[in-house]
Amino acid sequence: MLCQSFLKSYFCGNKTTQFKMPDINELQDFATQVRRDILRQVHKVNSGHPGGSLGCTEFFTALYQEVMDYNTNFDMDGKGEDLFFLSNGHISPVYYSVLARSGYFAVDELNTFRLIDSRLQGHPTTHEGLPGIRIASGSLGQGMSVALGAAQTKKLNNDDHIVYSLHGDGELQEGQNWEAIMYAAGNKIDNIISTVDLNGQQIDGSTENVLPLGNLRAKFEAFGWDVLEIEDGNNIQQVIDGLKEAKTRTGKGKPVCILMNTVMGHGVDFMMHTHAWHGKAPNDEQLETGLAQNPETLGDY
């Protein structure tokens, strides 16, 4: 499988390969193209979740193009590489786009998003065998537990790689998260970096109106985690810096949490700062407006 020319990966196919590191302009071009992919995927089938996907584009770009050590010759064991688990699986459009454009599968497969018999289901699943997908994540609140299991396994196997996970802020209203958060600190699982997407929106409204989350930093710290914040999760340099700083804090006896402030719908002006586009597809006119704000950079599928 061919990889992007500036892909940051230590593996491609069956060979260890050193790639030229992307500069910030290349990363921004990558993110812009991913936004186009998100809009086009959701529009084609009039179904999907563009808001959170657009808001997390910089995170996925930074993780897969700059920070994470992974193998595109995918296998479920994931030995000798970093692992990523998406807990808030409804933002699959951004996940699929970044996986494809990072070399896991052909970019033109994005054309099959949410179609019958597609490997690209609305929420990621594993039974289709889509490379890069390690868990089914349709039900919220479960990703932390799975990620911690993988992180513990790496420690037992003397594998010094890191497990990354992503969670929605509204998702933290699920109680299973807090059992897992308590378990992680109690067992000193210090090879995990869990990022919370703080966009303040969920399907029924703002998190403040649905169920306030309170002081998440204080809560995670009270549960024994090391916590850092990314002030602007839509600034790709800040996201890279935050992820790299988090990596320096691993291996010190505490799990690591990143609180990442983003804007839902970022990059498409009429989708920003509202829960209205949590799970709503743009019509033809809205698609053209969104695409005009995110010009083609790497080639549409």
Side-chain angles (χ1 to χ4, degrees):
M1 181 176 293
L2 295 177
C3 297
Q4 290 281 349
S5 61
F6 55 83
L7 174 65
K8 193 275 185 184
S9 175
Y10 293 100
F11 305 95
C12 185
N14 294 314
K15 297 180 180 180
T16 302
T17 307
Q18 185 69 46
F19 288 92
K20 178 177 77 72
M21 295 295 289
D23 64 27
I24 197 68
N25 292 324
E26 289 173 323
L27 291 170
Q28 288 171 341
D29 284 347
F30 187 96
T32 298
Q33 187 65 51
V34 168
R35 285 197 162 89
R36 289 181 66 87
D37 292 348
I38 292 165
L39 294 170
R40 295 179 68 234
Q41 285 176 85
V42 173
H43 168 265
K44 179 179 178 179
V45 291
N46 193 32
S47 181
H49 296 78
S53 295
L54 292 166
C56 285
T57 298
E58 282 75 17
F59 171 81
F60 276 91
T61 299
L63 189 66
Y64 277 89
Q65 292 293 304
E66 180 75 13
V67 175
M68 199 164 68
D69 173 6
Y70 59 89
N71 189 348
T72 56
N73 188 27
F74 182 76
D75 71 82
M76 289 296 283
D77 289 337
K79 294 179 180 178
E81 61 177 311
D82 294 339
L83 304 181
F84 171 71
F85 294 93
L86 174 65
S87 189
N88 49 329
H90 56 275
I91 66 168
S92 62
V94 63
Y95 194 17
Y96 294 149
S97 171
V98 170
L99 285 176
R101 293 189 179 276
S102 296
Y104 279 92
F105 56 88
V107 173
D108 60 9
E109 191 170 352
L110 297 176
N111 247 321
T112 71
F113 176 68
R114 277 186 177 243
L115 297 181
I116 294 174
D117 295 328
S118 171
R119 298 197 297 176
L120 279 61
Q121 294 295 303
H123 295 75
T125 61
T126 54
H127 65 273
E128 288 92 351
L130 185 66
I133 305 300
R134 299 189 180 278
I135 58 167
S137 51
S139 297
L140 294 174
Q142 299 179 354
M144 179 77 74
S145 300
V146 177
L148 288 171
Q152 274 196 304
T153 299
K154 283 196 175 292
K155 290 177 78 71
L156 290 169
N157 288 339
N158 296 314
D159 183 340
D160 62 1
H161 284 79
I162 295 171
V163 174
Y164 296 86
S165 63
L166 179 65
H167 313 265
D169 48 2
E171 182 185 7
L172 294 184
Q173 294 160 355
E174 298 277 1
Q176 182 176 339
N177 290 294
W178 297 98
E179 294 179 44
I181 291 165
M182 179 169 54
Y183 178 89
N187 288 275
K188 294 181 170 56
I189 305 175
D190 57 1
N191 58 335
I192 188 168
I193 298 173
S194 294
T195 299
V196 180
D197 175 24
L198 294 177
N199 61 29
Q201 307 293 332
Q202 57 191 108
I203 192 167
D204 291 326
S206 71
T207 54
E208 192 64 27
N209 289 332
V210 175
L211 185 62
L213 295 165
N215 187 333
L216 285 179
R217 173 184 272 275
K219 288 180 178 179
F220 270 93
E221 289 179 340
F223 275 70
W225 285 58
D226 188 6
V227 183
L228 64 148
E229 296 188 44
I230 297 176
E231 182 178 346
D232 183 357
N234 297 119
N235 179 307
I236 200 160
Q237 188 63 61
Q238 285 193 32
V239 177
I240 292 169
D241 292 344
L243 285 166
K244 289 184 176 180
E245 169 63 22
K247 189 173 181 179
T248 69
R249 300 190 187 191
T250 59
K252 298 181 179 179
K254 289 186 176 184
V256 180
C257 171
I258 299 175
L259 300 176
M260 179 178 70
N261 296 282
T262 69
V263 173
M264 178 171 277
H266 186 82
V268 180
D269 57 7
F270 60 87
M271 292 186 177
M272 294 172 66
H273 303 288
T274 173
H275 74 282
W277 292 95
H278 173 93
K280 176 183 174 182
N283 61 31
D284 292 350
E285 182 179 352
Q286 290 166 334
L287 173 67
E288 290 307 312
T289 299
L291 293 179
Q293 295 173 19
N294 293 275
E296 187 177 356
T297 54
L298 301 181
D300 288 334
Y301 57 86

